[in-house]
Amino acid sequence: MAPSNAVLARNTSLAPLDEGHSSQTVAFSHYNHLSAQLPVAAATGELVAGGITEQARQCLTNLKTVIEGIDHTLDDVIRLTVMLTDIADLAAVDEVCGEFYGDYLPTRTNLAVTALPLGAAVQIEAVVSNGVGTIPDAPQPGDLVKVARNVAQAPSNACSTQSVAFSHYNNLSAQLPIDPETGTLVAGGIAEQTTRCLANIKAIMEGIDAPFDDIVKITIHLLDLADVPAVDEVYSTFFPDSAIARTAGYLPARSIVAVTGLPEGARVQVEAVLSHGDGTPPQAVEDRHGLVIWAANTDQAPRDAMSTQSVAFSHYNNVSALLPFDATGALVAGGAKEQAGQCLANLKAIVESIGHSLADVVKVNVFVADLGELDELQAAYAEYFPGGVPARRVVQVPALAKGVRVMMDAVVANAEGTPPRR
């Protein structure tokens, strides 16, 4: 790709705007990252009347409007993330999704959180393929093919596809601790459930001929953060996977997010984003298998023994969860504003350490202990993103690690791409 690859933020007045805080969609290279859509009518700026069915329909209508505003369709969606305040509402959301989708189904992540902005019962976000790419002086042909696949060795779901690849990335549906043979939760506790989630991911990857160390980002949703040590013990038996990865000590970027509910009554689910060195057709054969994963850490931001701060592949960097601790491991003094500022300072340090800037950030996920502190967070956020360019998600979760008020993670553009193997 040409070095003029550029971050492209866009908005349409036909869908709700979050002016000054986020963009509806931010494209870079062959992907668009959309801000989470609330069930707000653009004409009124207020929540739609009705219950979960009406709210879910408005969220998807807003996504459709944003996507069509950039000359794409809902069939270009790679992943949908459905965030609820009551996991029991998932069946109603699934029914509404059936109104918008036919034969093709994106990958899906479903979870419940403590609260959503404006008191909504649901918000939905999307990652969308961008066949034309974002090179201003050399538009790319829009003929890249999306590849959606399911394998028999992992649990299937009538409302999603296990794996959807586009260009050099592959998104997997969040995996629950479901035994693919019985279709039910595995017996046992958190260790057995975590093992099953990761085994399901591995089965999908083996079914599509992808090595486990192609994972660049893992997100773990947990009902109880007290389960983290048990999860880590299992996690360390899966990562690093290969001899090469063990020699390099490679670990994906990672975020652990507390939730209030998961499908099927699970205690844990795991979402994975994979590198896809082959690319999707019709990328040239000589371009295949020529990209490497670049994992980077800097001493200017806190490190974590179970993850890498930033993992780049092709034209994206995936950043691990950011907590409000400085590089010495000290929690910043102050409240939500100061903690949000420290998370963003850590993001800036990581991004700059790999030769980028905050202008390259395309998506930020924000997890807060109390949405009542959102104004404080916004004040800090505006200091780092005064133009509100990144797409964004904001949710209130039941707990955050070490009792902090704010946590964030991010996706960053990587214009130079990653080099071929030597």
Side-chain angles (χ1 to χ4, degrees), residues 177-389:
I178 301 290
D179 184 329
E181 293 187 2
T182 66
T184 60
L185 282 179
V186 296
I190 189 64
E192 291 78 10
Q193 289 201 16
T194 304
T195 299
R196 186 71 257 168
C197 291
L198 291 166
N200 287 342
I201 289 173
K202 195 163 192 176
I204 293 170
M205 294 181 66
E206 289 176 348
I208 60 175
D209 296 322
F212 203 62
D213 286 319
D214 277 357
I215 295 174
V216 295
K217 176 68 190 293
I218 286 278
T219 301
I220 299 172
H221 298 120
L222 278 176
L223 287 187
D224 188 349
L225 288 182
D227 287 336
V228 170
V231 169
D232 282 347
E233 186 173 348
V234 172
Y235 194 83
S236 64
T237 68
F238 282 82
F239 296 99
D241 183 61
S242 67
I244 293 174
R246 287 192 293 273
T247 299
Y250 172 68
L251 293 167
R254 191 177 80 161
S255 297
I256 295 180
V257 180
V259 296
T260 59
L262 292 169
E264 308 295 336
R267 292 172 62 179
V268 59
Q269 76 175 2
V270 183
E271 173 189 289
V273 178
L274 323 178
S275 62
H276 187 54
D278 285 1
T280 53
Q283 288 172 332
V285 173
E286 58 266 26
D287 292 336
R288 298 180 177 186
H289 302 292
L291 300 175
V292 296
I293 290 173
W294 263 9
N297 289 294
T298 174
D299 291 333
Q300 302 306 308
R303 294 195 183 208
D304 181 84
M306 302 302 294
S307 66
T308 304
Q309 290 169 346
S310 169
V311 178
F313 182 78
S314 187
H315 291 102
Y316 274 97
N317 283 287
N318 299 269
V319 178
S320 289
L322 303 155
L323 292 167
F325 296 90
D326 64 23
T328 70
L331 178 66
V332 66
K337 179 180 179 181
E338 290 76 17
Q339 291 197 16
Q342 185 62 55
C343 290
L344 291 162
N346 290 338
L347 175 60
K348 185 172 184 285
I350 292 168
V351 169
E352 290 180 349
S353 76
I354 53 175
H356 287 272
S357 72
L358 289 181
D360 295 318
V361 176
V362 297
K363 175 73 188 297
V364 177
N365 295 314
V366 182
F367 308 94
V368 299
D370 184 356
L371 277 172
E373 298 174 334
L374 186 56
D375 286 347
E376 294 179 56
L377 183 148
Q378 303 284 42
Y381 196 85
E383 294 177 11
Y384 287 84
F385 295 111
V389 167

Side-chain angles (χ1 to χ4, degrees), residues 2 23 41 52 56-57 76 78 83 122 132 137 176 194 204 222 225 291 312 380 422:
S23 298
I52 187 62
R57 187 175 292 122
D76 292 323
I78 303 297
M83 293 153 279
V122 59
V132 295
D137 57 357
L176 291 160
T194 304
I204 293 170
L222 278 176
L225 288 182
L291 300 175
R422 300 302 181 189

